[in-house]
Amino acid sequence: NSEQEASTLQPVIENRICAFNELSNMRKNFSHPMFVYAHLIMPHGPYIFDSKGDIVYNRALSDEEIPPAYLAQLQYTDIKIQEIVEELLDSEPTPIIIIQSDHGVRFQVDEKVDPLKHSFLNFGAYYFPDKELDKDEYSVITPVNTFRMLFNEYFGTDYELLENRSFLRMDIESFNRYEVDNSTKFYDVTDF
């Protein structure tokens, strides 16, 4: 029933709202330099926000219902991240901002379609104040090079950048069920 779903999801809802609020207030609460790592489990399921941030209690969703629910929660996530970035950019000193996903979107549209064609690479956005990144040197940045690039640009290190490659870990046969067993493979999706 929906009351039971609501009570089960309440800690998840509170956690996500708290994370957004704390990130917005971080610069107000501390005056010294800091490193903040926030792992926001959004737009990842459960899909509990619509595109405007209203809470929706979704029961188990069918394969057809997941993409629109994901999109709505992604739209709300984008709004909140933009608000946080704008607040950060208005603060002094202007911070370094790195936003990246831990994995890309993974949808299988139907069982006859190769899920690799509906999987996407990690998202990455970087703001380095007072630095102009060389587009030739950093034409593609995968997470393996994020902190190498940061340390080289700001801390005078000379870390070698590693080859930018991306892999998708999955078992093609059980993609929709997210099962992992001995048939799990790593697919190089760098050129997708």
Side-chain angles (χ1 to χ4, degrees), residues 176-187:
N176 276 338
R177 295 186 303 276
Y178 301 101
E179 294 173 7
V180 177
D181 58 26
N182 291 336
S183 65
T184 298
K185 295 186 169 83
F186 289 86
Y187 295 87

Side-chain angles (χ1 to χ4, degrees), residues 71-136:
L71 180 60
Q73 189 154 280
L74 173 63
Q75 290 168 326
Y76 175 63
T77 304
D78 286 350
I79 290 167
K80 296 305 289 181
I81 296 295
Q82 286 177 26
E83 289 173 2
I84 291 167
V85 167
E86 287 172 14
E87 289 173 20
L88 289 171
L89 292 175
D90 283 341
S91 65
E92 288 294 330
T94 307
I96 297 167
I97 303 171
I98 299 172
I99 302 170
Q100 65 186 35
S101 64
D102 58 347
H103 62 78
V105 179
R106 300 178 293 220
F107 289 131
Q108 183 170 353
V109 178
D110 100 21
E111 292 178 17
K112 298 174 197 149
V113 176
D114 180 356
L116 289 174
K117 292 183 180 173
H118 296 280
S119 300
F120 299 88
L121 301 178
N122 291 51
F123 171 82
Y126 310 89
Y127 177 74
F128 288 4
D130 305 321
K131 296 284 181 180
E132 184 73 33
L133 296 179
D134 183 339
K135 289 182 173 83
D136 292 329

Side-chain angles (χ1 to χ4, degrees), residues 12 15-16 19-20 38-49 73 77 102:
V12 175
N15 175 277
R16 292 179 179 183
F20 284 132
H39 186 181
L40 304 174
I41 312 294
M42 285 182 66
H44 202 286
Y47 305 109
I48 53 178
F49 295 103
Q73 189 154 280
T77 304
D102 58 347

Side-chain angles (χ1 to χ4, degrees), residues 5-20:
E5 284 177 16
S7 68
T8 303
L9 289 175
Q10 194 59 37
V12 175
I13 294 165
E14 289 172 10
N15 175 277
R16 292 179 179 183
I17 291 171
C18 177
F20 284 132

Side-chain angles (χ1 to χ4, degrees), residues 34 57 81 151 178:
M34 68 183 111
Y57 296 108
I81 296 295
F151 293 144
Y178 301 101

